[in-house]
């Protein structure tokens, strides 16, 4: 069974940091683009960041640029999101996603979703 499983969410104070992980299983995702989306209460799911299969190409939403860093380890079939200088508006459920390309991922053409991990930033 192909799965993406997020971990690392939690409660943190504004200005703090968290590192999310996405562990893939069931097949290798080394040739897929992977990324993160988030959904806050009452809002639509939004794109946060993505990374190409080689790790060279990365894209970020303006709202997180300069604060979040996406990375991947194909040997571990895993992806990460380092979140620094967190703000209360970063509170959301964060989802891991895979797609055929970074273009597809940013367009929302997702092949696999994780179940989500809650990130709560307190003031």
């Amino acid at each position: 069974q192909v799965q993406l499983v997020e971990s690392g969410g939690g409660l943190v104070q504004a200005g703090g940091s968290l590192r999310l992980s996405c562990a893939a299983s069931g097949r290798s995702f080394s040739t897929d683009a992977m990324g993160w989306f988030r959904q806050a209460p009452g809002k639509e799911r939004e794109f946060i960041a993505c990374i190409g299969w080689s790790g060279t190409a990365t894209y970020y939403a303006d709202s997180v640029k300069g604060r979040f860093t996406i990375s991947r380890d194909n040997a571990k079939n895993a992806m990460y999101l380092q979140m620094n200088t967190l703000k209360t508006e970063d509170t959301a459920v964060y989802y891991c996603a895979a797609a055929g390309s970074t273009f597809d991922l940013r367009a929302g053409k997702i092949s696999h979703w994780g179940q989500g991990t809650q990130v709560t930033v307190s003031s």
Side-chain angles (χ1 to χ4, degrees), residues 1 5-8 19 21 29 47 54-56 70 74 82-83 88 91 93 97-98 100 104 111 121:
Q1 183 180 2
V5 179
E6 302 92 337
S7 61
R19 187 185 190 225
S21 298
F29 281 81
F47 165 79
S54 69
T56 301
I70 190 170
N74 287 339
Q82 178 66 44
M83 305 187 295
T88 55
T91 295
V93 177
D104 284 347
S111 61
V121 184

Side-chain angles (χ1 to χ4, degrees), residues 13-89:
Q13 285 192 327
S17 299
L18 280 176
R19 187 185 190 225
L20 303 183
S21 298
C22 173
S25 62
R27 70 165 177 87
S28 171
F29 281 81
S30 63
T31 59
D32 293 68
M34 298 188 75
W36 295 92
F37 289 72
R38 69 185 181 189
Q39 187 167 19
K43 295 188 177 181
E44 292 187 353
R45 191 173 298 191
E46 63 172 348
F47 165 79
I48 294 300
C50 68
I51 187 167
W53 68 271
S54 69
T56 301
T58 57
Y59 301 90
Y60 296 92
D62 288 344
S63 58
V64 305
K65 200 173 293 183
R67 299 188 298 123
F68 291 9
T69 303
I70 190 170
S71 62
R72 66 189 298 164
D73 185 338
N74 287 339
K76 295 183 178 179
N77 219 17
M79 177 184 61
Y80 309 97
L81 186 68
Q82 178 66 44
M83 305 187 295
N84 298 329
T85 319
L86 282 160
K87 305 176 180 180
T88 55
E89 52 263 44

Side-chain angles (χ1 to χ4, degrees), residues 103-119:
F103 180 85
D104 284 347
L105 198 142
R106 286 178 288 161
K109 297 177 182 178
I110 306 301
S111 61
H112 296 88
W113 287 103
Q115 84 289 351
T117 185
Q118 176 70 47
V119 171

